[in-house]
Amino acid sequence: MKLIISILSIGCFFSVSAQEVKEKIAEKKYEGYSYIDAIAIYEKVAEKGHVSVELFQKLGDSYYFNGMLDKSKVWYDKLFQMKNQTFDPEYYFRYSQSLKAVKAYKEADKMMEKFYALTNDYRGELYVKNKLYLVDINNSLDKFTITDAGINSEFSDYGGYFKDTKMYFVSNRIPQKNNKKIDKWTNQNFLNIYRAEFSDSAKAVYIDEIVDEFNTKYHESSPVFTKDGKTMYFTRNNYNNGKVVMDKDKVIKLKLFKASLENGKWGKITELPFNNNEYNFAHPALSPDEKTLYFASDMPGGYGNSDLYKVIINDDGSYGKPENLGDKINTKARETFPFIASDATLYFSSDGLIGMGGLDIFKSVPDENGNYSSFHNIGAPINSERDDFGFVESPFKNIFFVSSNRDGGKGYDDIYKVKVNPEPKKGIIINKVIDEISKEPIADSKITLLDANQNKIAETVTDAQGNFSFNDVRTDREFYILVANDSYLAKEFRVKGIEQNNQVFEVAPKVIKTKPGDDLVKLLNITIYFDLDKYFIRPDAEVELAKIIEILKMYPNLKIDIRSHTDSRQSEAYNLRLSTFRANSTRDYLIKKGIAKERLTCKGYGESQLLNNCTDEVPCTREQHQLNRRSEFIIIQ
């Protein structure tokens, strides 16, 4: 897959000591782009205990450029663990991408910060300006459902372009009809173009290996058709009319070809005139009016390893001069797999723009001049921590397809079906904030709406009546509402959609006005209960009493009267005695915690001051009786 996806420019070769014969052999394979063979040799060298910057770089790179970022991380880990070493800053970027592949995003972000500090590179700048990028990317999780497309094999399957209800895709599965050579790059079969028929419900019906002239013994990929179905552009190794052409380093590059449909067969296969034997040209895409061809290339004059270009298709079938899409889209890394949707939106993959890891898919809407000058990550679950690419429309409503080597796939690369989920129902949240002591509404409070992961969604303030509202809130989701006011303690409330509308949220003031006769229990909104027939201090009561103790310590002139009560069960005499024990127990507890006994008085009131009608003649629940088993802390000075 990566030979087609990743237009590579390997510019760093290394020297080795004479005794490292195996490492020399590996280097030859590395320079010749046979990365899989090189990995085995390099690893044997590393297993024998050899340590060097070059060795770890090459091992990491061998996996990195094959899209195996979780494995490249293993060797970049070792590289960055080496002390007092310097290396190309690009390795900070590669290490960051590899860390993302295992979802180590905090460590990845640190590497991006170091990368930016060393280079001032656009890729690092994007991160610095968008440190909350994961929040934005994950905001689309509910918008799509992604499933296996039903056409994958244990090998590499990717790409795709629809002509009617047939998808033309790429695979290196073992061919039944075309006998192909083994690719040194991957030690697997070369790529063929296959065709899959889909039903009206976007379900794969059958798969057919195409035996047309455009499938050769080398790589073919990325077909795209004109609307009339008579012209096809596609990618192929530099092989035509039975001849292979190599560059000056004996590498077979990629080129763009054009084929015409004649009598049901594809013929007149010609390479496009702007191809060059020394560089790669791949992944064609047509504009809706079919007057512009987009593609990826590593030709000179670009910004990175591969850039996106466009070229005008003239009425007479000739071509203009390729134009780079510019530094608003292209980076020093890889931009590849362009696709132009029916509404002229450009979709493409990049590992240079800020994303989840590996290649992410981005979209760019043309400006008023038809240029692509901005971009947006299309988010999860379409994008993952691995390589995601080959985004295409389908003829089926709200169905798209994408390719990825994410975990859980059937083969090395797989094609996935993306369904756009129906828009969820939304409503309005309307609630109120009041002072929990005075019960008066609180105006000008800052209200923040947070999602279940504590990410901010929106903000507002309460009006003069303490009311606030949020529009377009998902009715099926849980949210948090954070209330903040300079005069009140911040408090968070959990709500579910609009089901808990018209709630009243009570918040405690930071400064409490008091006077003799006030009950600290009510002022602090605390509860101190006793168990049935007991007078010991319960653990939950200790927490509440700690608040009373702190107030008494803060205000040394404050004196209080402790008043304890019981429920109506048992006799009046028994309850009076029990409540006295409770009052004394509470007073003793406060004295033990350092409060002077002269500041405390106490008395038991038995069942004489019930808070409800739970007398002996009235049946009540345990909870109703519990309300009466309480203590009060009345300010007397």
Side-chain angles (χ1 to χ4, degrees):
M1 177 270 286
K2 289 298 175 287
L3 179 61
I4 296 294
I5 292 177
S6 308
I7 312 301
L8 300 177
S9 176
I10 308 300
C12 49
F13 305 128
F14 63 98
S15 60
V16 292
S17 57
Q19 67 267 27
E20 299 294 347
V21 177
K22 286 185 178 179
E23 203 166 340
K24 276 188 173 182
I25 295 171
E27 181 184 352
K28 290 289 186 183
K29 292 181 177 294
Y30 182 92
E31 293 178 0
Y33 302 100
S34 301
Y35 284 171
I36 296 298
D37 289 341
I39 288 173
I41 298 171
Y42 280 133
E43 287 185 336
K44 288 184 180 296
V45 172
E47 286 170 4
K48 293 184 181 297
H50 293 284
V51 175
S52 73
V53 169
E54 294 84 359
L55 177 62
F56 293 150
Q57 284 178 338
K58 294 305 180 187
L59 268 169
D61 289 350
S62 292
Y63 283 115
Y64 182 85
F65 290 121
N66 271 286
M68 304 176 186
L69 302 188
D70 56 331
K71 294 182 178 179
S72 66
K73 173 192 173 292
V74 173
W75 298 104
Y76 291 150
D77 279 344
K78 295 181 181 295
L79 175 65
F80 279 83
Q81 287 166 5
M82 298 181 72
K83 304 295 184 183
N84 303 317
Q85 299 291 335
T86 58
F87 31 81
D88 191 315
E90 192 67 21
Y91 280 95
Y92 287 93
F93 177 79
R94 294 177 193 170
Y95 191 27
S96 175
Q97 292 293 92
S98 301
L99 286 164
K100 287 181 179 181
V102 296
K103 298 184 179 181
Y105 288 106
K106 288 185 178 179
E107 293 85 351
D109 291 347
K110 290 178 182 177
M111 289 299 111
M112 283 300 291
E113 288 178 353
K114 292 180 180 178
F115 171 71
Y116 183 58
L118 290 168
T119 63
N120 205 35
D121 188 282
Y122 177 52
R123 290 167 289 170
E125 181 183 352
L126 288 173
Y127 162 71
V128 170
K129 291 181 177 179
N130 299 276
K131 290 189 175 182
L132 297 178
Y133 65 97
L134 283 177
V135 175
D136 294 333
I137 288 172
N138 287 319
N139 277 340
S140 60
L141 271 170
D142 299 327
K143 295 180 181 179
F144 308 101
T145 298
I146 186 165
T147 57
D148 187 288
I151 58 176
N152 294 307
S153 69
E154 62 185 293
F155 299 95
S156 185
D157 305 282
Y158 70 88
Y161 187 86
F162 274 91
K163 183 172 175 286
D164 301 323
T165 58
K166 296 181 177 65
M167 174 194 272
Y168 290 76
F169 69 99
V170 179
S171 178
N172 66 353
R173 63 188 68 189
I174 299 174
Q176 301 298 316
K177 302 173 184 177
N178 288 336
N179 184 21
K180 286 203 169 191
K181 298 166 61 178
I182 296 296
D183 179 10
K184 289 193 302 179
W185 181 291
T186 61
N187 277 345
Q188 296 180 10
N189 299 298
F190 277 81
L191 296 163
N192 264 334
I193 296 175
Y194 288 75
R195 179 173 52 215
E197 174 74 27
F198 284 80
S199 67
D200 291 340
S201 60
K203 183 178 181 180
V205 177
Y206 73 85
I207 300 172
D208 179 40
E209 179 187 341
I210 302 172
V211 192
D212 283 306
E213 187 178 351
F214 59 77
N215 265 342
T216 66
K217 60 183 178 180
Y218 290 99
H219 286 299
E220 282 81 31
S221 174
S222 312
V224 59
F225 302 87
T226 54
K227 293 174 184 176
D228 62 11
K230 295 181 179 180
T231 302
M232 176 179 64
Y233 296 91
F234 65 101
T235 306
R236 177 193 282 172
N237 279 129
N238 196 353
Y239 176 83
N240 201 21
N241 297 322
K243 294 182 180 181
V244 173
V245 180
M246 298 184 180
D247 68 3
K248 65 180 186 305
D249 295 320
K250 306 302 181 183
V251 175
I252 306 173
K253 296 294 188 179
L254 303 174
K255 283 190 173 182
L256 294 173
F257 290 83
K258 176 184 177 182
S260 299
L261 187 66
E262 296 181 341
N263 300 319
K265 293 288 184 180
W266 290 102
K268 292 185 178 180
I269 298 177
T270 57
E271 66 170 275
L272 300 190
F274 49 83
N275 282 320
N276 188 303
N277 293 336
E278 298 299 316
Y279 309 106
N280 291 293
F281 296 78
H283 312 314
L286 281 169
S287 62
D289 62 6
E290 301 181 352
K291 293 182 179 181
T292 305
L293 184 73
Y294 294 80
F295 61 93
S297 177
D298 61 354
M299 72 172 83
Y303 295 91
N305 290 333
S306 67
D307 280 16
L308 299 185
Y309 289 82
K310 67 178 181 179
V311 63
I312 299 299
I313 304 174
N314 298 315
D315 292 340
D316 62 1
S318 62
Y319 301 86
K321 182 180 179 181
E323 298 177 47
N324 190 292
L325 293 194
D327 61 0
K328 298 300 183 183
I329 297 294
N330 292 311
T331 70
K332 290 183 180 179
R334 301 177 293 173
E335 279 69 48
T336 185
F337 272 99
F339 173 76
I340 309 297
S342 55
D343 63 357
T345 298
L346 165 67
Y347 292 87
F348 65 98
S349 290
S350 171
D351 63 3
L353 302 175
I354 192 165
M356 298 183 70
L359 291 166
D360 269 29
I361 299 170
F362 296 81
K363 64 183 292 186
S364 178
V365 178
D367 59 24
E368 62 275 9
N369 298 316
N371 297 318
Y372 298 104
S373 55
S374 62
F375 59 86
H376 177 70
N377 188 305
I378 64 175
I382 298 176
N383 284 323
S384 70
E385 65 275 9
R386 300 297 180 85
D387 282 335
D388 308 290
F389 55 97
F391 183 90
V392 294
E393 287 179 315
S394 82
F396 312 107
K397 185 177 180 181
N398 293 328
I399 298 290
F400 301 88
F401 287 81
V402 66
S403 303
S404 178
N405 67 346
R406 67 188 64 193
D407 290 337
K410 191 173 182 180
Y412 180 55
D413 295 302
D414 291 287
I415 301 173
Y416 294 88
K417 180 164 57 177
V418 178
K419 181 180 179 182
V420 180
N421 296 327
E423 277 292 318
K425 292 182 179 180
K426 294 183 178 181
I428 302 175
I429 284 181
I430 303 175
N431 285 309
K432 186 171 188 172
V433 178
I434 65 171
D435 185 309
E436 69 177 23
I437 297 173
S438 70
K439 308 303 180 184
E440 294 296 320
I442 305 173
D444 299 320
S445 292
K446 179 182 176 182
I447 310 296
T448 305
L449 181 66
L450 307 166
D451 66 16
N453 295 316
Q454 297 287 308
N455 299 313
K456 184 172 74 173
I457 300 173
E459 285 183 347
T460 188
V461 294
T462 55
D463 61 18
Q465 286 74 44
N467 296 317
F468 67 89
S469 64
F470 290 106
N471 297 320
D472 296 326
V473 178
R474 290 279 295 268
T475 61
D476 59 339
R477 288 302 164 90
E478 288 190 343
F479 300 94
Y480 291 94
I481 291 177
L482 176 64
V483 180
N485 186 299
D486 290 342
S487 301
Y488 290 83
L489 298 175
K491 192 171 182 179
E492 193 174 71
F493 302 87
R494 191 171 185 173
V495 299
K496 183 174 181 180
I498 61 172
E499 291 182 8
Q500 297 185 33
N501 248 352
N502 302 313
Q503 275 197 107
V504 176
F505 298 138
E506 297 185 355
V507 292
K510 291 181 180 178
V511 178
I512 303 171
K513 296 179 180 179
T514 64
K515 63 182 183 301
D518 285 343
D519 183 359
L520 287 179
V521 167
K522 294 179 180 178
L523 293 177
L524 297 175
N525 195 29
I526 62 177
T527 55
I528 299 175
Y529 293 133
F530 292 89
D531 287 335
L532 178 65
D533 290 334
K534 307 294 182 182
Y535 57 84
F536 63 84
I537 304 300
R538 298 190 332 194
D540 60 335
E542 288 189 41
V543 176
E544 303 292 69
L545 284 172
K547 300 173 185 177
I548 301 289
I549 292 168
E550 288 304 315
I551 286 184
L552 289 168
K553 288 181 178 180
M554 291 174 65
Y555 302 98
N557 294 323
L558 182 65
K559 294 183 180 181
I560 59 173
D561 181 36
I562 303 167
R563 302 176 183 179
S564 293
H565 306 268
T566 69
D567 60 33
S568 62
R569 291 175 288 185
Q570 299 291 346
S571 67
E572 289 185 13
Y574 176 89
N575 286 333
L576 182 61
R577 185 169 63 253
L578 177 61
S579 66
T580 301
F581 286 154
R582 286 176 176 172
N584 290 334
S585 174
T586 304
R587 180 175 180 269
D588 291 344
Y589 181 86
L590 297 180
I591 292 172
K592 184 179 178 181
K593 293 296 182 179
I595 305 302
K597 61 182 179 180
E598 301 83 34
R599 301 173 62 191
L600 305 171
T601 58
C602 63
K603 184 178 180 180
Y605 289 82
E607 59 180 271
S608 63
Q609 295 183 13
L610 299 176
L611 294 178
N612 48 36
N613 62 348
C614 292
T615 59
D616 291 335
E617 297 79 17
V618 178
C620 288
T621 65
R622 289 181 179 179
E623 290 76 17
Q624 289 171 321
H625 282 303
Q626 173 71 87
L627 291 175
N628 293 316
R629 298 195 303 272
R630 70 197 189 280
S631 284
E632 299 169 327
F633 297 81
I634 306 301
I635 297 172
I636 57 176
Q637 178 178 314

